[in-house]
């Protein structure tokens, strides 16, 4: 949502609002590193221990993952947390090996 202090979106409406805002303001370029954002969301998810929240990280990318090893490690670490990670590849990049 372009807010580093509070990067959360509430519900589908919040996700759509953030996505539309990002389309107007974000310049897409490489490298495409996913591990930092996965680790950030995992840190937030790890703070919730009472089961009251579940986090969904949606990453929409036009490029292949540049930090594949670190991304895999981040996903494995996050797998025990109350969160899901959805990665959607768009555009002509070669995503088959991802």
């Amino acid at each position: 949502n372009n807010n580093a202090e509070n990067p959360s979106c509430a519900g589908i409406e919040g996700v759509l609002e953030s996505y539309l805002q990002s389309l107007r303001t974000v310049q897409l370029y490489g490298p495409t590193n996913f591990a930092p954002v996965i680790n950030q969301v995992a840190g937030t998810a790890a703070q919730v221990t009472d089961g009251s929240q579940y986090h969904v990280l949606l990453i929409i990318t036009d490029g292949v993952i540049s930090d594949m090893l670190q991304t895999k490690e981040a996903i494995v670490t996050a797998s025990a947390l109350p969160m899901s990670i959805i990665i959607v590849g768009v555009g002509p990049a070669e995503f088959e090996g991802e």
Side-chain angles (χ1 to χ4, degrees):
N1 68 4
N2 292 323
N3 182 347
E5 302 281 323
N6 182 16
S8 298
C9 298
I12 296 299
E13 296 82 17
V15 170
L16 290 174
E17 181 181 321
S18 179
Y19 178 71
L20 291 173
Q21 177 186 355
S22 294
L23 283 176
R24 294 186 296 267
T25 60
V26 172
Q27 175 77 25
L28 300 176
Y29 60 92
T32 305
N33 295 321
F34 290 173
V37 71
I38 293 170
N39 289 330
Q40 180 179 358
V41 175
T44 301
Q47 295 175 6
V48 181
T49 58
D50 64 0
S52 64
Q53 294 182 17
Y54 190 85
H55 297 78
V56 178
L57 172 59
L58 172 62
I59 300 174
I60 302 172
T61 182
D62 71 338
V64 295
I65 300 171
S66 301
D67 63 340
M68 183 59 81
L69 179 61
Q70 295 88 346
T71 296
K72 287 179 180 180
E73 291 172 358
I75 290 170
V76 169
T77 301
S79 67
L81 298 171
M83 65 179 286
S84 292
I85 302 167
I86 302 168
I87 301 172
V88 178
V90 297
E94 295 293 327
F95 296 104
E96 284 91 29
E98 302 285 315

